[in-house]
Amino acid sequence: MSARPRRRTKIVATLGPATREPDQIEALIDAGVDVFRLNFSHGTPPEHAEAVKRIRAASKKLGREVGILGDLPGPKLRLGDLEEGFAVLHSGSVIEMSGDDGVGNAEHLPVQFAGITKAVNPGDPVFLADGRVRLKVLEISGPNVKLEVEAGGAVSSHQGVNLPGADAELPDAGSHDEEWIEFACANDIDLLAVSFVRRPSDLELVKSKVEAQGADIPLIAKIEKPQAAERAEEIIAAATGGIMVARGDLGVELPVEEVPGTQKRLIKLAGQASKPVITATQMLATMVKASQPSRAEVTDVANAIYDGTDAVMLSEETAIGEHPLEVVRVMDRIARRTEEQLPYGDWVFNRVDTKADDVAEAVAQVAVAATYRLGLAAIVVPTGSGRTARLVSAFRPREPVLAVSSNPATVRRMNLLFGVSAAIAEPWTRLRQLLDECALLAREHGVAKSGDLIAITAGLPELELGTNLFEVHRVP
């Protein structure tokens, strides 16, 4: 057995200018990164293609598969060009906004969205500069929107524009992401995050484009719009890869006091549906500059883990921060300490909304419950698609879970699942071979030692096994 306990909560880290060199990527993997996020809102396809190559090379060198999450830009509204690159809006002033491509100033702001006049109504709020600048729509006049500046401040060219009151007239999520979807399919991206989802059909649009490329990439729905929070159960059901609680834009478009409760509800709903969830944005934001986080940030990370998140994500902390390695190490320490206090035994029976006729789910729950009843050392999960491992993870076992697959993409994707370590194995042709080799793999990967009892639960269609195999096996 490994002397150091395995961390169960997964760490997603965003690559950027501060971390794109090969030695930095290796150091981040060594520090504990499980999945790298490539933010397609920044950087070019050649730059991201090089990042993929470097991540794969580092994984091979270190002997540890890590996942790659591609984050689609989505239909984020942005300001156009401004004179001198910025403008200062003064509280109480009245300005105009229009969907043109001219150069703007403090009196007239261009928006890169021709339908702006149809997307808002008098009285609607409009937020700029990540919510620091607040406007209110006064009237629609021809091609212009007239607004009052309620809270002023500086805005810059191409900054985001948030329209919390708008819905139907906004572009669909994924509608402008064709280039990046093609890139993800061509470069074997493991997971795709769909930005600004508002309804399940947004995910279907992206899914159809992925399938048209002959690929099968699980989709993660980013919940960052009030409309998505309202339709969370439908969206979670449609999200094949899980959800991300993207608190940046969500915190702009919702009243800030509603964000903690919304986050807790989304994590709970994802758990009930056996879907993984990533909690993201500003988790350790102080460490973009400082070498230590604030106490409030540490508590924030811990509370997400207490609530049942599968993963915690670092954004600008690792993309542009001054202490990317240390921030991963801090996240690792917080997670390990928090995991000691989680209610694992209770979660086996009350976390997932179990369905009476779901055999796979029932077998996964039995496997986790057996670790307590029989004192099993670990659970080994041979799987083709990763679904069995996802179901086992959802019941939050205290003991280690080793998921093994002959599909490298499946192995990389399972790095997002709470409590699951993943490894590549040769394909099996016979059931007895599978059982015997799983026991050997448990010993080789340090989740059990000779003489220990382990659970093996499998979902392998090629052996005509859905997730309906459960065996207690002694490690040789």
Side-chain angles (χ1 to χ4, degrees), residues 76 125-133 160-164 224 226 246-256 259 282:
K76 187 175 181 69
V126 175
F127 295 109
L128 308 175
D130 292 330
R132 294 187 295 274
V133 176
V161 179
N162 292 90
L163 309 177
E224 50 195 335
R247 305 177 308 175
D249 280 280
L250 188 63
V252 173
E253 302 219 3
L254 280 177
V256 67
V259 174
Q282 298 177 336

Side-chain angles (χ1 to χ4, degrees), residues 49-124:
E50 182 61 28
V52 172
K53 291 179 182 177
R54 291 177 178 183
I55 292 169
R56 300 294 189 225
S59 295
K60 183 176 181 179
K61 180 178 179 179
L62 297 176
R64 181 170 170 237
E65 294 287 343
V66 297
I68 299 179
L69 167 65
D71 197 335
L72 297 173
K76 187 175 181 69
L77 308 187
R78 296 185 182 276
L79 294 176
D81 293 319
L82 302 177
E83 295 175 0
E84 300 182 3
F86 72 97
V88 178
L89 309 186
H90 297 284
S91 298
S93 64
V94 175
I95 68 167
E96 287 186 339
M97 183 177 282
S98 64
D100 60 49
D101 55 4
V103 178
N105 52 41
E107 287 76 42
H108 185 97
L109 297 177
V111 180
Q112 297 172 344
F113 175 44
I116 183 69
T117 56
K118 297 180 180 179
V120 296
N121 296 295
D124 283 353

